[in-house]
Amino acid sequence: MTVFQSGAKIDVSGVSVSFPLYHGGSRSLKKTMFAAASGRLGQDSHQRVVVEALRDLNFTLGSGDRLGLVGNNGAGKTTLLRMLAGIYEPVLGRVRVQGSVSALLDPNLGMNLELSGRENIMLRGMISGLPRSALPRLEEDVQAFAELGDFLDLPVRIYSSGMVIRLGFALATAIRPQVLLMDEWFLAGDSSFMEKARSRLEDMVRGAEILVLSSHAAPVVATWCTRVIWMDQGRIRDDGPPEEVLERYLGYPVQIPPPAPAILPAA
Amino acid sequence: MSVALDMRVEPVLELVSNIAAADRKRMALRDIEDGLRLWRLGCTLGWLDIKLRYRGSLLGPLWLTLSTAVMVGGLGILYSTLFKTSLRDYLPFLALSMVLWNTLSGTVADACVCFTSAEGLIRSARLPFTLYAIRMVVRNVLVLGHNIVVIIAVYALLNVWPGWYSVAAIPALALWLVNALAAGMFLGAFCARFRDIPPIVASVVQIAFFMSPVLWKPDAIHGTYRVLMDFNPFFTLLEVVRGPMLGYMPPLEVWVSAIFFSGLLCALAWMMFMRVRGRLAFWV
């Protein structure tokens, strides 16, 4: 029964995700009931607009893999990250993710703006499943990086936007997962802060066994990824080594930055 | 250099499409199990909700106590005059009825939004949906906790104490907890899909308030109507807590009815939750 688990693993097979788009009448029980009473329910359920966000995806990732996701807006990159994080469940197919997962999807990531910085840190630690004994250490770590001083006890609502980003970033990078799912917002930010954030982020990326990075910036993907999937309208359009896929995606060869790479393009 | 906080567990997340009934059942069970295991987080979230609601106000959550006290005092004098009963007899009944009814109606209203109000968290991390139902229950237990002060004050003021029968209120309150959780799962999911449910629920509860013996005593009704009242889940659920707290044991049929309707609600909640759990993240 006991299975030896060696490292992180992601297995996606035959996965489709579709969003029902409820608008106007389909949100209403009254209208749905009247439609049923007048025998139009069947028709109504077909009229529902469904967005097929992901269609029949298949891929596996093992320990050490660094996957880059490229594609236009609306190609399904963020939906795929959300699905790997377990937030959306597949409508068809199956997903298996082995290892602790952390998804850096948006800067405010479950932060409650009405709560103080300290309370947000505690909540985030609990949500990530850290033992209670680790919470003071988390607080210390975040505090040291975010440099909020006395603001830590004030509601996040009154922070300047830079402070919110620092707190969000410090929180998101304080907990080291085995599988790191990262959206491109993480690579955007004001340059002086990013200078400081770089080593922390690089540390985290190196520490993760699997990285899935969704980005528009080809140099970043080329530097950090060992494999690239090109998404187009919810499907995998291309899958392979970064140089080849990126060249086909962009239409011209990418300059692979020199070694000793910087994850962030110089500001 | 930052201290690396490694996540301690190495969980396996397995998601399958929710088409086979067996998969749906297994995943829903697991959700409930995980949610109950995270009770501590549920308590923290619920506590922060209450703290936030009253942050910056002078009396904080004591506003709840104060407004309940004013209402009970005012209604007590009014209705004991209208019904021509002594205040000493009527006030403990009214205090209990109002506090319990406010808890019940507040919980039902809160149950409707227990998933939709947690939209941000639902979309940013995978957490069991049961956790949000627990959070909603904790919120309402805390509100009840503040209102209980009024009941105790009334007991002390009139120097009437319910005696040993009040111990029977403990299992009855446990039944309320189960019901509140089930209501969260059922109404929360239903209201996430159909946004016009909360007003409908609110008017049903409003009608139930006038049709049930909340302001008037159940023994004001006799014969057939009294028998029919045992089919009113609002009354029987109220009575199993209120009776013992007033110093008498509710009759067996009231207990049977309360337990029967609780079972029904749990069954409904389970069927609903099992069916739609996988879709909730898309609905909120």
Side-chain angles (χ1 to χ4, degrees):
Chain A
M1 181 59 218
T2 45
V3 182
F4 180 68
Q5 298 180 336
S6 62
K9 209 192 259 171
I10 292 179
D11 191 354
V12 173
S13 54
V15 162
S16 296
V17 168
S18 55
F19 287 89
L21 277 194
Y22 296 115
H23 55 94
S26 57
R27 267 288 190 209
S28 159
L29 178 69
K30 188 185 80 183
K31 291 204 176 140
T32 309
M33 297 241 291
F34 278 130
S38 56
R40 291 194 295 112
L41 187 66
Q43 193 191 356
D44 189 75
S45 72
H46 287 296
Q47 278 174 352
R48 196 173 72 187
V49 182
V50 173
V51 176
E52 296 192 38
L54 298 177
R55 292 188 261 188
D56 195 28
L57 300 189
N58 291 288
F59 62 88
T60 47
L61 296 170
S63 191
D65 279 347
R66 268 104 183 79
L67 174 69
L69 297 174
V70 294
N72 298 327
N73 287 332
K77 303 188 297 287
T78 306
T79 307
L80 177 55
L81 290 182
R82 282 223 166 97
M83 194 197 62
L84 292 176
I87 296 165
Y88 293 154
E89 293 187 7
V91 175
L92 285 174
R94 50 179 276 160
V95 185
R96 193 169 189 283
V97 179
Q98 188 172 309
S100 59
V101 182
S102 184
L104 312 182
L105 298 175
D106 77 84
N108 290 336
L109 199 66
M111 253 207 275
N112 187 331
L113 299 185
E114 298 297 321
L115 293 175
S116 72
R118 203 181 295 281
E119 286 164 332
N120 269 304
I121 296 173
M122 179 191 69
L123 259 189
R124 185 56 191 278
M126 289 180 86
I127 287 169
S128 305
L130 288 180
R132 273 178 107 67
S133 56
L135 293 182
R137 208 149 52 91
L138 175 69
E139 196 179 300
E140 217 171 278
D141 179 47
V142 172
Q143 202 170 356
F145 181 83
E147 290 174 3
L148 293 169
D150 293 337
F151 277 87
L152 205 60
D153 288 310
L154 295 173
V156 174
R157 180 169 41 83
I158 66 158
Y159 288 16
S160 70
S161 56
M163 287 161 84
V164 176
I165 291 180
R166 285 211 301 278
L167 177 62
F169 185 89
L171 263 179
T173 47
I175 297 165
R176 304 295 164 84
Q178 289 170 295
V179 177
L180 179 60
L181 310 170
M182 204 157 80
D183 214 344
E184 60 191 338
W185 74 266
F186 241 77
L187 309 173
D190 76 275
S191 53
S192 61
F193 164 67
M194 272 312 175
E195 200 55 50
K196 186 181 165 190
R198 182 175 295 172
S199 72
R200 194 174 157 103
L201 188 58
E202 285 178 357
D203 248 24
M204 188 185 191
V205 169
R206 281 200 197 91
E209 287 176 41
I210 296 179
L211 168 74
V212 181
L213 170 72
S214 143
S215 177
H216 281 300
V220 174
V221 174
T223 309
W224 281 92
C225 298
T226 54
R227 177 178 169 187
V228 172
I229 284 180
W230 173 8
M231 304 271 302
D232 189 26
Q233 295 184 3
R235 292 179 204 281
I236 295 179
R237 172 127 173 218
D238 207 347
D239 180 356
E243 314 83 62
E244 295 172 20
V245 178
L246 284 174
E247 187 175 340
R248 282 193 288 269
Y249 171 61
L250 295 168
Y252 56 84
V254 244
Q255 298 285 320
I256 304 286
I263 186 167
L264 307 160
Chain B
M1 193 81 296
S2 67
V3 201
L5 282 159
D6 290 301
M7 288 167 95
R8 68 201 150 132
V9 279
E10 190 171 288
V12 177
L13 172 66
E14 185 144 24
L15 302 172
V16 285
S17 66
N18 268 319
I19 287 173
D23 289 330
R24 278 210 291 248
K25 205 163 155 182
R26 191 169 46 80
M27 309 250 321
L29 263 179
R30 197 171 153 187
D31 186 291
I32 294 172
E33 249 175 63
D34 290 348
L36 292 176
R37 205 171 296 136
L38 288 172
W39 64 273
R40 211 188 284 272
L41 177 58
C43 288
T44 308
L45 286 168
W47 164 243
L48 287 173
D49 285 339
I50 294 295
K51 202 168 141 187
L52 271 185
R53 200 180 294 170
Y54 294 98
R55 181 167 278 180
S57 75
L58 187 66
L59 291 177
L62 286 180
W63 277 117
L64 289 169
T65 317
L66 197 68
S67 68
T68 309
V70 169
M71 185 160 72
V72 167
L75 287 181
I77 293 167
L78 174 68
Y79 281 93
S80 63
T81 316
L82 279 180
F83 296 151
K84 299 186 176 58
T85 53
S86 76
L87 198 61
R88 188 182 162 78
D89 180 43
Y90 184 64
L91 200 58
F93 168 83
L94 181 77
L96 266 168
S97 295
M98 288 313 293
V99 167
L100 292 176
W101 186 268
N102 283 348
T103 307
L104 190 150
S105 64
T107 306
V108 169
D110 210 6
C112 291
V113 297
C114 80
F115 297 134
T116 44
S117 64
E119 183 191 355
L121 201 49
I122 289 175
R123 280 189 204 275
S124 63
R126 180 181 177 84
L127 289 167
F129 284 96
T130 312
L131 177 71
Y132 304 108
I134 293 175
R135 170 190 192 173
M136 181 275 295
V137 175
V138 170
R139 277 201 295 253
N140 287 286
V141 167
L142 287 172
V143 171
L144 174 62
H146 284 92
N147 284 332
I148 278 180
V149 177
V150 176
I151 297 174
I152 294 170
V154 167
Y155 282 160
L157 205 70
L158 302 174
N159 197 22
V160 281
W161 299 94
W164 283 106
Y165 274 127
S166 55
V167 177
I170 294 170
L173 282 170
L175 193 65
W176 274 42
L177 279 184
V178 174
N179 273 312
L181 212 56
M185 309 274 243
F186 178 72
L187 288 173
F190 205 16
C191 296
R193 173 65 181 85
F194 296 109
R195 297 300 166 96
D196 54 351
I197 302 285
I200 298 174
V201 171
S203 41
V204 168
V205 173
Q206 181 77 41
I207 294 165
F209 173 75
F210 290 112
M211 300 293 284
S212 313
V214 182
L215 292 176
W216 43 278
K217 292 198 175 184
D219 49 21
I221 274 186
H222 308 282
T224 325
Y225 293 109
R226 177 67 186 74
V227 176
L228 280 179
M229 236 157 55
D230 288 336
F231 291 94
N232 173 358
F234 290 98
F235 162 63
T236 54
L237 275 168
L238 186 66
E239 190 66 2
V240 291
V241 180
R242 185 175 61 186
M245 301 277 282
L246 286 172
Y248 66 88
M249 186 54 103
L252 184 66
E253 57 269 23
V254 169
W255 277 99
V256 170
S257 163
I259 292 170
F260 170 76
F261 280 111
S262 306
L264 198 67
L265 179 62
C266 290
L268 274 176
W270 167 249
M271 286 189 311
M272 169 72 90
F273 188 64
M274 188 178 75
R275 254 181 81 84
V276 308
R277 188 201 47 81
R279 310 298 295 160
L280 276 174
F282 297 108
W283 288 350
V284 293

